[in-house]
Amino acid sequence: MPDSVLTAGSSAPAPTGLTEGRPVYVIGGGPGGLAAAAALREQGIRAVVLEKSGNVGASWRRHYDRLHLHTTRRWSALPGLAMPRRFGRWVARDDVVRYLEKYVEHHELEVVTGIEVSRIDRAPDKTGWQLTATGGRILTGRAVVVATGYNHTPRIPDWSGHDTFTGILVHASDYRNPAPYAGRDVLVVGIGNTGAEIAVDLVEGGASRVRIAVRTVPHIVRRSTAGWPAQANGILARRLPIRLVDRAGGLVTRIAVPDLASQGLPRPDTGLYSRAKEGAIPVQDVGLIDAVKRGRVVPVAAVESFDEDAVVLADGDRITPDAVIAATGYHRALERLVGHLGVLDARGRPVAHGGRTPKQAPGLYFTGFTNPISGMFREMALDARKIAKRISHVG
């Protein structure tokens, strides 16, 4: 099927006044993909966003109800459009979706929904990239930006016996609000930002008991201290030596966050920024500290296995929750798309990111596959402009 046939879902008309010939294809209609498309348009380059779902911002539409950005409105805007002040400092999930919809309209982005790209290959003439997509479509672009998302495919560990568990076992991606868990004993597995916030949501929503399974003790930071957002520290930290940031972070944490060791949550023995460089982002407090202090959320050991109605923990304890919510992360799921190109590391992450392109795959770009302490939206906005400038320079 030729490039010109892109009829699935909805599509804006091709913008006028942009470069002719092969467009740049952007895979994914989330914030990273839309930012890249807008930045490319700013450079006079036609970009076509391919989104497999029926709407932009699909992953944001599926997040739990109480979710807010942990980064400030000001530092979460994408290129060329500020977030409205009425959204408040910490932008709610629904407002993020409204913003992304407005972003498409404001920049007149060319978005085609209902098309999933299954494979990316070098174009036969070696001057661009060939995409295999829904319905047998073969699309050829001058460059490709992969923005399929950090939270792509839910990951549940292959716990022994989990398929025999007689209670409820769901991934955090299926959690919306605490209503179904009111009056129930719930175990949340994983103490990243998602797990911590769901645990607090469950407590506030009437769960009879909430425990949170902890494999690695996280760094916990206040989302804001005396009006100063934690994100600002994250931005500054990226310009400073790791040792200095670790020391400063430890001092600030000891002042701002109480010692929760007696409640089962000791302070980490590794530096905040050292951990962040390895991908372990600090937990921003939205009520967890108070809930743990009051015994309303009880930390327990990591989950080892399941045994019918019981969950077996790493310390040998057996507990019998009514429900288990696995906040155990996601796979990037890039192997099928680009794994054959040699552009992924051993953990399935792109070897090059942002404005850089793999040496063996010039013209192939990735954005949104890191989770920096300076804020994902902010970094995707920076990536977008770097990618657009690089593509405009290489022609």
Side-chain angles (χ1 to χ4, degrees), residues 5 45 63 96 105 108 145 174 179 186 203 209 227-228 231 260 263 266 269-270 276 286 294 317 320 327 354 370 392:
V5 182
I45 299 169
H63 283 313
V96 170
E105 177 186 337
E108 299 180 338
V145 181
D174 293 317
V186 187
V203 165
R209 185 177 191 179
W228 180 261
Q231 183 187 8
L260 301 173
Q263 285 82 26
D269 57 7
T270 53
V286 291
R294 295 173 180 270
D317 281 356
T320 54
T370 61
S392 69

Side-chain angles (χ1 to χ4, degrees), residues 254 257-263 265-267 293:
R254 288 181 180 279
V257 178
D259 186 358
L260 301 173
S262 61
Q263 285 82 26
L265 208 59
R267 298 188 191 278
K293 280 183 65 177

Side-chain angles (χ1 to χ4, degrees), residues 27 120 144-152 330-335 337-361 364-371 376 383 387:
I27 306 175
I120 301 173
V144 176
V145 181
V146 180
T148 49
Y150 190 83
N151 296 339
H152 188 275
Y330 295 79
H331 295 292
R332 307 293 88 80
L334 291 169
E335 288 79 6
L337 191 66
V338 297
H340 56 288
L341 298 173
V343 297
L344 304 178
D345 66 15
R347 296 171 61 183
R349 302 172 303 181
V351 296
H353 202 268
R356 294 180 296 113
T357 188
K359 290 182 180 179
Q360 66 273 39
L364 181 62
Y365 299 86
F366 296 86
T367 183
F369 294 98
T370 61
N371 192 15
M376 183 177 283
D383 278 353
I387 291 169

Side-chain angles (χ1 to χ4, degrees), residues 218-385:
H219 284 276
I220 303 175
V221 299
R222 300 285 188 183
R223 187 166 65 174
S224 168
T225 302
W228 180 261
Q231 183 187 8
N233 292 332
I235 293 171
L236 292 173
R238 300 199 73 180
R239 300 175 179 274
L240 299 172
I242 292 177
R243 282 187 184 178
L244 177 61
V245 176
D246 280 347
R247 290 177 182 174
L251 177 61
V252 170
T253 298
R254 288 181 180 279
I255 294 172
V257 178
D259 186 358
L260 301 173
S262 61
Q263 285 82 26
L265 208 59
R267 298 188 191 278
D269 57 7
T270 53
L272 185 152
Y273 195 46
S274 294
R275 289 272 294 277
K277 293 289 282 185
E278 297 172 359
I281 299 302
V283 172
Q284 293 204 27
D285 178 51
V286 291
L288 180 69
I289 293 172
D290 184 66
V292 171
K293 280 183 65 177
R294 295 173 180 270
R296 301 181 73 193
V297 172
V298 177
V300 296
V303 171
E304 284 294 301
S305 62
F306 287 74
D307 184 10
E308 296 185 346
D309 67 336
V311 179
V312 182
L313 304 179
D315 60 4
D317 281 356
R318 293 169 64 92
I319 60 176
T320 54
D322 300 314
V324 176
I325 299 172
T328 46
Y330 295 79
H331 295 292
R332 307 293 88 80
L334 291 169
E335 288 79 6
R336 184 172 66 110
L337 191 66
V338 297
H340 56 288
L341 298 173
V343 297
L344 304 178
D345 66 15
R347 296 171 61 183
R349 302 172 303 181
V351 296
H353 202 268
R356 294 180 296 113
T357 188
K359 290 182 180 179
Q360 66 273 39
L364 181 62
Y365 299 86
F366 296 86
T367 183
F369 294 98
T370 61
N371 192 15
I373 60 175
S374 51
M376 183 177 283
F377 271 53
R378 178 181 182 272
E379 294 304 317
M380 287 190 293
L382 295 173
D383 278 353
R385 288 220 159 99

Side-chain angles (χ1 to χ4, degrees), residues 33-344:
L34 298 181
L40 286 162
R41 179 178 169 80
E42 188 178 61
Q43 293 287 334
I45 299 169
R46 183 186 173 200
V48 178
V49 179
L50 305 176
E51 167 55 47
K52 70 176 182 178
S53 73
N55 304 97
V56 297
S59 65
W60 276 91
R61 296 172 191 272
R62 295 192 300 267
H63 283 313
Y64 48 93
D65 295 348
R66 73 172 282 157
L67 179 65
H68 286 66
L69 286 176
H70 291 163
T71 53
T72 65
R73 180 190 73 251
R74 175 188 172 191
W75 285 330
S76 299
L78 302 179
L81 184 66
M83 287 188 169
R85 292 180 63 86
R86 67 176 183 278
F87 285 178
R89 194 180 200 194
W90 313 107
V91 182
R93 177 203 65 185
D94 289 349
D95 285 332
V96 170
V97 172
R98 292 187 186 98
Y99 173 73
L100 296 178
E101 291 173 338
K102 181 65 177 178
Y103 196 79
V104 172
E105 177 186 337
H106 177 81
H107 288 292
E108 299 180 338
L109 300 182
E110 191 174 356
V111 179
V112 186
T113 59
I115 292 185
E116 182 175 8
V117 178
S118 57
R119 184 180 172 97
I120 301 173
D121 291 287
R122 259 303 192 187
D125 63 6
K126 307 299 182 183
T127 62
W129 291 92
Q130 180 174 283
L131 284 61
T132 303
T134 305
R137 292 175 177 83
I138 301 297
L139 311 172
T140 305
R142 60 186 288 195
V144 176
V145 181
V146 180
T148 49
Y150 190 83
N151 296 339
H152 188 275
T153 303
R155 182 183 71 86
I156 294 183
D158 188 20
W159 290 303
S160 173
H162 77 275
D163 54 340
T164 68
F165 183 54
T166 57
I168 298 168
L169 172 59
V170 298
H171 189 268
S173 60
D174 293 317
Y175 177 88
R176 294 295 173 270
N177 58 63
Y181 305 95
R184 295 191 173 191
D185 182 339
V186 187
L187 172 67
V188 178
V189 184
I191 194 169
N193 277 296
T194 296
E197 190 157 1
I198 287 176
V200 173
D201 200 33
L202 288 164
V203 165
E204 295 176 354
S208 64
R209 185 177 191 179
V210 179
R211 286 171 283 200
I212 189 164
V214 181
R215 183 170 298 278
T216 303
V217 179
H219 284 276
I220 303 175
V221 299
R222 300 285 188 183
R223 187 166 65 174
S224 168
T225 302
W228 180 261
Q231 183 187 8
N233 292 332
I235 293 171
L236 292 173
R238 300 199 73 180
R239 300 175 179 274
L240 299 172
I242 292 177
R243 282 187 184 178
L244 177 61
V245 176
D246 280 347
R247 290 177 182 174
L251 177 61
V252 170
T253 298
R254 288 181 180 279
I255 294 172
V257 178
D259 186 358
L260 301 173
S262 61
Q263 285 82 26
L265 208 59
R267 298 188 191 278
D269 57 7
T270 53
L272 185 152
Y273 195 46
S274 294
R275 289 272 294 277
K277 293 289 282 185
E278 297 172 359
I281 299 302
V283 172
Q284 293 204 27
D285 178 51
V286 291
L288 180 69
I289 293 172
D290 184 66
V292 171
K293 280 183 65 177
R294 295 173 180 270
R296 301 181 73 193
V297 172
V298 177
V300 296
V303 171
E304 284 294 301
S305 62
F306 287 74
D307 184 10
E308 296 185 346
D309 67 336
V311 179
V312 182
L313 304 179
D315 60 4
D317 281 356
R318 293 169 64 92
I319 60 176
T320 54
D322 300 314
V324 176
I325 299 172
T328 46
Y330 295 79
H331 295 292
R332 307 293 88 80
L334 291 169
E335 288 79 6
R336 184 172 66 110
L337 191 66
V338 297
H340 56 288
L341 298 173
V343 297
L344 304 178

